[in-house]
Amino acid sequence: MIPDQQGPGTPSGADKFDDDHYPAYTMGRAAEMLGTTQGFLRSLGEAGLITPQRSAGGHRRFSRHQLRLAARVREMVDQGTAIDAACRIVTLEDQLHEAQQHNRVQRDAESSAAD
């Protein structure tokens, strides 16, 4: 999805401000916000943690969700963890969180059905 184009399911207007996955940030702005280099962000893409969307001109665009992932990796890297390992840890943490949420929903549905 190209950020400047509208299509089915594409947030419009004010909705974009609330969409965590809307690719609103350029490479330079994202790096500035994280206090890191553009190369660091490219390395996260190479490691498979984030896949930035591309603008019509081919420039990388990042969402707030992707920037939060990058910030978590940066914290680990600053503490001495290798980038690849930090990316894997963040990925596994997110998978665990999703599984826990899924289990919680299932338990709630089962307890509601039992009542």
Side-chain angles (χ1 to χ4, degrees):
M1 172 176 61
I2 300 172
D4 299 324
Q5 294 180 343
Q6 293 290 325
T10 302
S12 62
D15 293 338
K16 293 177 184 175
F17 293 113
D18 296 328
D19 185 357
D20 254 4
H21 297 283
Y22 181 73
Y25 303 96
T26 63
M27 171 76 84
R29 180 69 180 130
E32 179 183 318
M33 289 171 66
L34 294 171
T36 190
T37 65
Q38 294 180 15
F40 176 78
L41 290 172
R42 281 190 290 275
S43 69
L44 298 182
E46 291 168 8
L49 179 70
I50 56 177
T51 303
Q53 293 185 19
R54 299 284 181 150
S55 69
H59 300 282
R60 289 176 179 88
R61 305 283 274 175
F62 297 89
S63 68
R64 286 194 314 246
H65 174 75
Q66 290 171 325
L67 295 184
R68 279 195 299 274
L69 293 175
R72 288 168 54 195
V73 169
R74 180 167 185 251
E75 285 179 26
M76 289 183 208
V77 168
D78 287 349
Q79 295 171 1
T81 305
I83 288 178
D84 287 343
C87 288
R88 185 69 180 140
I89 291 167
V90 167
T91 299
L92 291 170
E93 287 174 344
D94 284 353
Q95 288 173 352
L96 175 61
H97 179 71
E98 287 176 21
Q100 288 171 331
Q101 282 183 319
H102 177 75
N103 288 342
R104 200 171 304 119
V105 168
Q106 290 295 336
R107 274 194 306 270
D108 291 347
E110 288 172 4
S111 68
S112 294
D115 291 338

